[in-house]
Amino acid sequence: MVTEKNTNRIGTYPVAADGTVGPPTFTASAGETPFGFAFDRRNRLFVSEAAGGAAHGSTTSSYRFDDDAPARPLVVSPAVATT
C-alpha cells in the first residue's frame, strides 16, 4: 500500500507467498493530497489527507476491502474533517 500526494491515488500492491510483489492497482483517494495511512484490527484502511495544504483543511478517509476485489479499497467515510 502506498499513497501518492501528487496524483491523489492509493496504490495497492499484491504480495505473493514467496515475497514477490505484483503490479499495482490504483484507486482515487476520497480526499485530496493523501500522505499517510494505517490499518485497524479489522483490516480497514484509514488515510490521512492534507487537503492540498489548506490551513486547517486536513481530512481522514476510511476504506474497507471486499473479498471479490481485495486489491481495491472501497470508501466507507470520504474526507472527514479532522479539525
Side-chain angles (χ1 to χ4, degrees):
M1 184 71 63
V2 297
T3 53
E4 297 182 346
K5 294 189 311 185
N6 292 337
T7 63
N8 292 321
R9 299 187 308 175
I10 300 167
T12 307
Y13 292 80
V15 180
D18 66 1
T20 57
V21 178
T25 298
F26 289 99
T27 304
S29 176
E32 188 179 354
T33 323
F35 67 89
F37 63 90
F39 289 92
D40 71 2
R41 292 182 181 159
R42 294 183 180 175
N43 203 32
R44 291 175 293 199
L45 170 66
F46 296 87
V47 177
S48 53
E49 300 131 356
H56 308 290
S58 63
T59 58
T60 299
S61 297
S62 65
Y63 302 82
R64 66 178 177 81
F65 294 89
D66 190 347
D67 290 339
D68 293 333
R72 187 165 305 280
L74 304 169
V75 176
V76 174
S77 299
V80 176
T82 61
T83 62

